[in-house]
């Protein structure tokens, strides 16, 4: 009876985890809306999306019945995540400059080759689900931690500029919710391969949210100052136009006066 109850709770938590994970995968949408509007990726980093892509692909492998049985919820959400990340990376490539585009393409190729090689080796050289779960599980832990750590790559930029403009808030918030849900799921029953990376992920995501809170107000001040500077520049440009226009009027008047009265009356002697 207890086992059936635990299994039911596990499935419910797993479904909740799927929903939160889906929000995590969709959390960069506002960022990409801005990228599309501006027509450039600016200082946004492709690292979080590349890290999430490789993480999703190895977890799909982990959740396959021939690797780690009874993990279909792991397969469904990570399969969905893989598709979504490919869309993000395609947009990133489209709006990047040539140098950054080449790096992203090479990164994706390396990840695809890695996953294919691991899949072939695991399914051909290891003959039990226990062995396959151990090897793929360790790989999943590494890449899951990388996914959670990836957004930290912009922390130096945040601290240096005192601005969180290029650290996506919803990605950090989604990562935190995702970590909490799957960390809970890993205890029903205990699964160290899911518990370790999601426990660490929860802490990393919390650090990102704390950093966001620390620099949110300074970011707003920087944005306001930037808007004010742009406004002042516009006013300056208009003043220059007016002054230039007045100068032309003055010059015309002086020319007219010169024609009527002579140069000595205009300039004085």
């Amino acid at each position: 009876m207890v086992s059936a109850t635990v299994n039911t709770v596990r499935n419910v938590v797993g479904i909740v985890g799927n929903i939160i994970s889906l929000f995590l995968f969709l959390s960069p949408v506002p960022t990409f809306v801005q990228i599309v509007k501006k027509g450039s990726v600016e200082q946004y980093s492709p690292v979080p999306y590349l890290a999430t892509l490789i993480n999703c692909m190895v977890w799909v492998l982990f959740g396959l019945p021939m690797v780690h049985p009874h993990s279909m919820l792991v397969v469904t959400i990570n399969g969905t995540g893989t598709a979504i990340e490919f869309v993000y990376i395609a947009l990133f490539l489209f709006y990047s400059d040539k140098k950054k585009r080449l790096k992203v393409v090479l990164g994706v190729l390396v990840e695809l080759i890695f996953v294919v090689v691991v899949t072939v080796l695991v399914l051909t050289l290891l003959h039990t689900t226990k062995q396959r779960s151990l090897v793929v599980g360790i790989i999943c832990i590494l890449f899951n931690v990388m996914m959670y750590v990836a957004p930290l790559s912009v922390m130096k930029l945040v601290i240096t500029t005192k601005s969180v403009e290029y650290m996506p808030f919803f990605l950090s918030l989604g990562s935190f919710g995702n970590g909490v849900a799957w960390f809970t799921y890993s205890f029903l029953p205990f699964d160290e391969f899911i518990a370790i990376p999601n426990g660490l992920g929860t802490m990393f995501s919390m650090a990102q949210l704390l950093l966001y809170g620390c620099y949110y107000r300074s970011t707003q001040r920087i944005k306001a100052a930037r808007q004010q500077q742009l406004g002042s520049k516009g006013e300056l440009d208009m003043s220059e136009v007016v002054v230039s226009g007045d100068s032309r009027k003055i010059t015309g008047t002086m020319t007219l006066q010169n024609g009527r009265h002579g140069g000595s009356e205009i300039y004085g002697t």
Side-chain angles (χ1 to χ4, degrees), residues 114-182:
F114 175 80
V115 172
V116 170
V117 170
V118 170
T119 302
V120 172
L121 292 178
V122 166
L123 296 180
T124 56
L125 299 181
L126 304 176
H127 305 294
T128 65
T129 55
K130 185 176 181 179
Q131 292 174 329
R132 292 170 180 172
S133 294
L134 177 62
V135 173
V136 180
I138 291 173
I139 294 172
C140 286
I141 288 175
L142 295 175
F143 283 111
N144 210 169
V145 172
M146 282 176 57
M147 183 192 76
Y148 285 121
V149 173
L152 299 179
S153 61
V154 297
M155 286 187 72
K156 183 178 179 181
L157 179 65
V158 170
I159 295 171
T160 302
T161 62
K162 300 186 185 305
S163 171
V164 293
E165 188 173 359
Y166 294 102
M167 188 175 79
F169 170 75
F170 290 106
L171 183 60
S172 300
L173 182 62
S175 295
F176 178 74
N178 184 69
V180 171
W182 287 105

Side-chain angles (χ1 to χ4, degrees), residues 94-113:
F94 187 80
Y95 291 104
S96 295
D97 56 51
K98 187 176 180 180
K99 185 177 180 181
K100 186 173 288 187
R101 188 179 295 127
L102 180 60
K103 290 181 179 179
V104 175
V105 169
L106 290 175
V108 172
L109 287 176
V110 169
E111 290 183 353
L112 290 173
I113 292 171

